[in-house]
Amino acid sequence: MEYRKEKIYLWIPVFLTVLLMAFFTYNFCRLRLEWNSFFQIAVKNEADRVKSLVESTVDAGGDPIESLSSYLENSKLLKGIKVEFEGREIVVPGSDFRNDLEKTQINSPPFKLYLFFDTSYQKEINRDILFQFLAGLVINILLLLGIVFSLRLYFYQKLFFDREKHEKERLQSVSIAISSVLHEVKNALSRLNMLAYKVSKESSSKYAGLIQKEVKKLGIFIEEASQINKPIVLNRKTVSLKKLLFDVVSEFSDVAQAKRVKMNVSIGDDIDVFIDRDKFLIVLRNLIKNAIEAVIEKEKNRVVEIAAERSGDLVRIYIKDSGGYLPDELFKPFKTTKEGGFGLGLYNSKRIVKAHGGELKAYVKGGWTVMLIEIPLV
């Protein structure tokens, strides 16, 4: 409700500008009408003077044509006079009919007079009024557009900040809930690790060691998830990229075979990379797991391709799947399209790659969904 009230208040300048434009237009129209009315009054007064001149000249027994010629020489408005007398038309000497003139007829028996008035000054003033009106109208329109653009920008930024605020509040509440869950999970993992240790001491089974190893990995993941808003600390070492990729692909070979997903690995010469192996494994596992899940729903052409290449000082790792689809808000935390997912996999992967000074990009090309990892060699 407050937002709507604020929106109404902010539109007041637009309303006032439109009102000013209407008032401005009204004033110019009124000015033009008043000027034309003034011109017609001037024409009428001039016609009345000519009529009086003719009548006074006739009463005095003089020549009205001569008087009209003398009057015509001194008039700025009157440019020509024609006199009709006993069926004859007499042009008063000094008349000039070359311009666009306004014709007015007056009767002064026994004469009928046709007066021709210069309208060039009237038209010049009208043009000037029109020019001033158009200039003012353009300024008002630009002002109105500026206000509308400013309001649009304001509301866009306000909406963006409101969404960002709500997103932060949502993430904060989710983080609190997840932190409490992770705390209990960490406690349970500690107990499970102790039990696995006891089993390994009392039994020679290889599975006890595997359980300890997996519990340790899960513990590391839980620890990282609990520190999702903290900077990532890397423990870098020189690693063979070829071996790293084949190791992680082998982890998914059974799953891929069971789901009838074909995995193609294309790696040329071996490349040594300076990375945190454990954290980079998290990235690769997340991306390959997502790629396999993306093609499972397809009836055929279930393909995942992994490739790597060196480009200058960069190493590019491509993980492609034939799904050909990317969801919205891909790298945002707690945003997921998977049932039961938390939306942390890609978010955490991007953070890890960025901590290595690289970039994690996603795009669709030629029917393939491509996840591209770019990291510097050193």
Side-chain angles (χ1 to χ4, degrees):
M1 183 65 72
E2 291 180 1
Y3 178 75
R4 288 183 178 178
K5 285 183 179 179
E6 184 181 0
K7 191 173 181 180
I8 292 172
Y9 293 149
L10 288 171
W11 278 103
I12 289 176
V14 176
F15 173 75
L16 292 177
T17 306
V18 173
L19 192 65
L20 178 65
M21 189 183 300
F23 182 72
F24 175 81
T25 304
Y26 168 74
N27 276 338
F28 268 96
C29 290
R30 190 182 66 174
L31 177 63
R32 186 172 184 276
L33 289 173
E34 286 181 354
W35 163 246
N36 289 330
S37 176
F38 172 78
F39 181 80
Q40 293 303 322
I41 290 172
V43 167
K44 184 178 182 304
N45 290 337
E46 192 82 350
D48 289 343
R49 284 193 289 270
V50 169
K51 184 177 181 181
S52 297
L53 175 64
V54 171
E55 290 176 351
S56 61
T57 302
V58 170
D59 290 342
D63 183 4
I65 302 299
E66 185 178 345
S67 298
L68 288 172
S69 179
S70 177
Y71 184 86
L72 192 61
E73 290 179 2
N74 298 315
S75 177
K76 293 182 178 180
L77 188 59
L78 189 62
K79 293 298 179 182
I81 303 174
K82 291 181 180 180
V83 179
E84 191 176 296
F85 176 68
E86 293 182 352
R88 292 183 303 150
E89 187 178 80
I90 305 170
V91 177
V92 174
S95 296
D96 184 3
F97 302 107
R98 289 176 297 177
N99 297 325
D100 187 16
L101 305 174
E102 181 176 315
K103 182 179 178 181
T104 300
Q105 177 184 327
I106 59 174
N107 294 316
S108 179
F111 303 103
K112 186 181 288 185
L113 289 87
Y114 298 97
L115 310 180
F116 296 86
F117 295 95
D118 186 8
T119 60
S120 60
Y121 189 62
Q122 179 197 21
K123 291 178 180 179
E124 183 180 348
I125 294 295
N126 279 331
R127 279 195 301 269
D128 192 49
I129 291 174
L130 180 61
F131 175 78
Q132 295 295 333
F133 167 73
L134 291 176
L137 188 63
V138 168
I139 292 172
N140 274 273
I141 291 173
L142 291 175
L143 178 63
L144 182 62
L145 291 175
I147 293 174
V148 171
F149 176 78
S150 299
L151 288 175
R152 183 177 178 274
L153 183 63
Y154 170 80
F155 285 121
Y156 175 79
Q157 290 180 340
K158 181 175 177 60
L159 187 62
F160 174 78
F161 287 130
D162 285 346
R163 286 178 178 173
E164 193 176 54
K165 180 182 176 182
H166 293 153
E167 183 69 10
K168 285 181 179 178
E169 291 174 353
R170 186 184 71 83
L171 291 178
Q172 186 176 7
S173 62
V174 173
S175 296
I176 292 171
I178 288 180
S179 295
S180 61
V181 172
L182 291 178
H183 178 72
E184 296 302 322
V185 172
K186 284 166 69 176
N187 290 336
L189 283 175
S190 297
R191 292 192 295 271
L192 185 59
N193 191 40
M194 290 177 62
L195 290 173
Y197 177 76
K198 288 181 179 180
V199 170
S200 66
K201 290 295 183 181
E202 297 175 1
S203 171
S204 60
S205 174
K206 63 177 182 179
Y207 295 109
L210 289 174
I211 291 173
Q212 277 188 298
K213 186 178 179 181
E214 292 303 319
V215 167
K216 185 179 179 181
K217 288 181 182 178
L218 188 56
I220 294 172
F221 173 76
I222 294 297
E223 186 65 30
E224 289 178 348
S226 64
Q227 297 180 3
I228 193 168
N229 291 322
K230 298 178 182 178
I232 294 176
V233 179
L234 300 177
N235 181 22
R236 293 192 183 210
K237 293 180 181 178
T238 301
V239 176
S240 166
L241 181 60
K242 191 171 188 178
K243 184 177 184 306
L244 180 67
L245 290 175
F246 274 111
D247 286 346
V248 73
V249 168
S250 65
E251 294 179 13
F252 292 93
S253 58
D254 293 340
V255 175
Q257 188 175 0
K259 299 294 184 180
R260 291 182 289 114
V261 176
K262 184 179 180 181
M263 296 186 69
N264 298 326
V265 182
S266 175
I267 304 172
D269 296 333
D270 196 8
I271 305 169
D272 289 334
V273 288
F274 191 60
I275 59 173
D276 186 319
R277 187 180 187 278
D278 292 335
K279 287 186 172 62
F280 215 79
L281 274 173
I282 293 173
V283 176
L284 295 173
R285 285 170 181 154
N286 277 331
L287 299 183
I288 293 174
K289 176 175 173 289
N290 287 346
I292 292 173
E293 291 175 350
V295 298
I296 285 175
E297 301 299 326
K298 297 188 70 175
E299 293 184 1
K300 57 182 181 178
N301 193 29
R302 300 180 180 181
V303 183
V304 173
E305 293 187 356
I306 298 99
E309 65 179 10
R310 178 174 178 170
S311 177
D313 295 332
L314 288 178
V315 175
R316 291 192 174 99
I317 304 170
Y318 298 89
I319 299 173
K320 304 191 292 183
D321 66 73
S322 56
Y325 167 76
L326 280 176
D328 296 330
E329 300 180 318
L330 195 61
F331 295 107
K332 284 194 174 182
F334 311 118
K335 294 279 188 177
T336 180
T337 56
K338 297 178 183 178
E339 187 176 350
F342 287 100
L344 290 174
L346 287 177
Y347 173 73
N348 201 37
S349 297
K350 192 175 182 70
R351 290 180 69 233
I352 292 172
V353 173
K354 194 171 183 180
H356 282 81
E359 283 291 331
L360 175 57
K361 303 174 183 177
Y363 56 90
V364 176
K365 183 177 181 181
W368 291 84
T369 302
V370 183
M371 305 298 293
L372 171 60
I373 303 170
E374 291 182 334
I375 56 169
L377 282 171
V378 292

